[in-house]
Amino acid sequence: MARSLYEWLWQHEFWLPPGITWEDMQESEDTHYPQPRDLLLSIPFALILVVIRYAFERAIALPLSSKLGVRDKQRPKAQPNPVLETFYSTRCKNPQEGELLSLAKQCDLPVRRVQKWFRRRRNMDRPRLSKKFSEACWRFTFYIISFFTGLAVLYDKPWLWDHRECWTGYPQQPLQPSLFWYYMLELSFYWSLVFTLPFDVKRKDFKEQIIHHAATIFLISFSYCANYIRIGTLVMVIHDASDCFLEPTKIFNYMKWKKTCDSLFMIFSAVFLVSRLVIYPYTVLYNTYYYSMEIFQPFFGYYFVNALLIILQLLHVFWSCLIIHMVYKFILQGTMEKDMRSDTEESDKDEERDQIREKEENGIPYFSNVRSNGYIQRNGSEPLDTRAHLANGHAKER
């Protein structure tokens, strides 16, 4: 049965234009074509990239983060509590009101104390700022290398300048060593992202990231097997162009360089919109849909690859709408809107509110934002004016 499935899958009618069979794709000493078995090499290469990334983050990115002033926030730790820890690990990290009441009874604690424990415990699991910085540094380094590698590989290739050349002689287009290694570099990187997903910073679109990585690996692998190498190289270099600006935007955001971050975000937005909504449709979609039919008649592979590329373009439109919305907010507010993918800490306002309540319950007055210029001070000294600003925001004449 497996052999029958294999023979059905590799029918030349699926993969090759009319009139071309697998016998026409036989290799010789001087001519090599893409072989599906070559893709297996991407797995060990991906593991090598994981090792390189680990060394890069420990030896370069982390020391760089401290030199650039990226500081991890001090987080109060949740006190050891076996009952709450078991519930947190096995059932739910954010319990509902009824569950909080039940847990409070089991532990003989106030409900607010249980809420505080879960809030602190969730914050303990959130990635440190230095980890986010290191991850962004690694991706920025790779995208820069990948983008300029793509330019170096393609600058003397005729299909970069004349897109009809993508189809000259197709599918009997020999595989050049530089194109093979460029493909292995890109495919290995996305495999490495899959391997490190459990350890990377988990954002709110974690499931979408998995789908994106799987789709990218499938697209690269399919284009290699079907010898859409020339189109594939154009797609990869176009996508890397905007990613080169996305990661440094994150880096400067973590460094609190607001103006630089905002400027890079605007540059990234322009490059993304131009490359994905202008260059990609003309260079890739129009090329595969129209120019390819000058060389051969449509077949299954033609329809399949065009469907995949159109789905990719729909994703570009979706992401572009989000970016345009952020740019619009930036123009109105003068600052970049927070990345909605980020999982922000539950902060300090909740923590401070609990502290105020505890002090009030113990009969200790608590005053926030205490200064000497007219406000009541912690040491009880008199204010400079006759108005005392209380913690609840009201003012009382003295």
Side-chain angles (χ1 to χ4, degrees):
M1 181 177 178
R3 183 173 180 81
S4 300
L5 179 62
Y6 179 85
E7 291 177 352
W8 174 84
L9 178 63
W10 291 103
Q11 293 181 73
H12 63 265
E13 291 86 359
F14 291 164
W15 298 86
L16 303 174
I20 304 293
T21 65
W22 291 117
E23 284 72 21
D24 300 316
M25 302 292 294
Q26 294 296 321
E27 295 185 332
S28 64
E29 293 183 0
D30 301 325
T31 304
H32 298 280
Y33 297 112
Q35 300 295 328
R37 63 176 178 270
D38 298 340
L39 299 177
L40 296 176
L41 292 173
S42 63
I43 303 299
F45 290 158
L47 297 176
I48 293 173
L49 280 179
V50 171
V51 174
I52 293 174
R53 172 183 173 175
Y54 181 84
F56 174 87
E57 291 185 353
R58 296 300 180 276
I60 298 176
L62 279 177
L64 183 62
S65 69
S66 61
K67 289 183 180 296
L68 294 176
V70 178
R71 297 287 183 265
D72 291 329
K73 186 177 180 181
Q74 295 297 323
R75 300 168 177 169
K77 295 183 178 180
Q79 295 297 322
N81 188 308
V83 174
L84 300 181
E85 184 66 37
T86 300
F87 186 93
Y88 180 89
S89 303
T90 60
R91 294 191 55 187
C92 177
K93 297 183 178 181
N94 196 359
Q96 300 300 315
E97 183 177 356
E99 294 170 323
L100 287 171
L101 291 172
S102 175
L103 290 169
K105 290 180 181 179
Q106 293 180 48
C107 301
D108 194 22
L109 292 173
V111 174
R112 283 201 301 273
R113 188 71 61 83
V114 176
Q115 287 177 320
K116 180 195 292 186
W117 189 95
F118 276 95
R119 182 169 60 251
R120 289 184 173 183
R121 185 65 181 83
R122 288 191 295 269
N123 282 340
M124 287 172 60
D125 280 350
R126 289 188 170 90
R128 300 282 183 178
L129 196 61
S130 58
K131 178 175 174 58
K132 295 181 179 180
F133 179 91
S134 300
E135 184 177 310
C137 281
W138 164 250
R139 296 196 184 203
F140 171 62
T141 302
F142 175 82
Y143 287 134
I144 284 288
I145 293 173
S146 177
F147 177 66
F148 284 101
T149 298
L151 292 181
V153 167
L154 295 177
Y155 84 97
D156 61 344
K157 302 299 187 292
W159 63 87
L160 180 64
W161 313 105
D162 182 2
H163 306 321
R164 284 184 170 86
E165 288 293 326
C166 288
W167 309 107
T168 300
Y170 180 83
Q172 294 168 305
Q173 297 172 337
L175 176 63
Q176 301 177 24
S178 60
L179 299 179
F180 168 79
W181 289 111
Y182 181 42
Y183 252 75
M184 287 298 107
L185 176 67
E186 291 278 355
L187 184 57
S188 300
F189 174 70
Y190 283 100
W191 271 121
S192 73
L193 293 183
V194 172
F195 296 157
T196 58
L197 268 176
F199 314 103
D200 287 345
V201 174
K202 289 183 175 60
R203 301 183 184 273
K204 293 180 180 179
D205 60 350
F206 178 73
K207 294 180 180 179
E208 289 80 359
Q209 287 185 40
I210 296 176
I211 296 172
H212 173 266
H213 297 338
T216 302
I217 290 171
F218 177 77
L219 282 168
I220 294 176
S221 302
F222 172 78
S223 66
Y224 185 86
C225 293
N227 204 13
Y228 287 106
I229 298 290
R230 297 184 180 184
I231 285 293
T233 55
L234 295 179
V235 173
M236 290 188 294
V237 78
I238 288 172
H239 282 72
D240 286 341
S242 59
D243 291 333
C244 290
F245 293 97
L246 176 60
E247 299 304 326
T249 301
K250 297 178 183 178
I251 291 172
F252 284 108
N253 182 46
Y254 302 145
M255 292 167 56
K256 310 297 184 184
W257 290 24
K258 194 62 179 173
K259 291 184 178 179
T260 306
C261 174
D262 290 345
S263 301
L264 279 173
F265 171 72
M266 297 302 291
I267 296 173
F268 159 74
S269 301
V271 174
F272 185 95
L273 295 175
V274 171
S275 62
R276 307 293 179 93
L277 300 183
V278 179
I279 297 177
Y280 176 84
Y282 172 71
T283 303
V284 177
L285 292 182
Y286 188 82
N287 190 2
T288 55
Y289 191 77
Y290 288 105
Y291 291 161
S292 61
M293 289 194 294
E294 297 178 357
I295 307 299
F296 55 81
Q297 294 297 314
F299 63 106
F300 175 80
Y302 165 85
Y303 294 112
F304 188 63
V305 73
N306 274 285
L308 293 176
L309 294 174
I310 289 173
I311 291 173
L312 189 57
Q313 180 60 19
L314 294 177
L315 291 174
H316 294 165
V317 173
F318 171 74
W319 291 325
S320 297
C321 291
L322 298 180
I323 291 173
I324 291 171
H325 175 74
M326 293 180 70
V327 171
Y328 176 74
K329 291 287 187 181
F330 175 83
I331 294 173
L332 290 182
Q333 301 174 1
T335 185
M336 188 178 70
E337 191 181 40
K338 183 184 74 174
D339 184 3
M340 297 306 293
R341 298 168 62 233
S342 298
D343 191 11
T344 56
E345 287 193 28
E346 298 166 83
S347 91
D348 302 329
K349 289 187 178 178
D350 295 327
E351 192 78 29
E352 185 178 347
R353 192 180 299 116
D354 286 339
Q355 290 176 2
I356 293 173
R357 286 172 178 168
E358 288 179 6
K359 289 179 179 292
E360 289 176 346
E361 287 172 358
N362 295 328
I364 302 174
Y366 181 85
F367 304 101
S368 61
N369 297 326
V370 182
R371 295 180 299 175
S372 60
N373 56 343
Y375 296 94
I376 293 179
Q377 300 178 11
R378 291 182 186 274
N379 59 11
S381 60
E382 290 296 325
L384 296 181
D385 63 16
T386 60
R387 297 175 67 84
H389 291 256
L390 305 182
N392 60 6
H394 298 287
K396 179 180 178 181
E397 295 289 346
R398 295 180 60 88

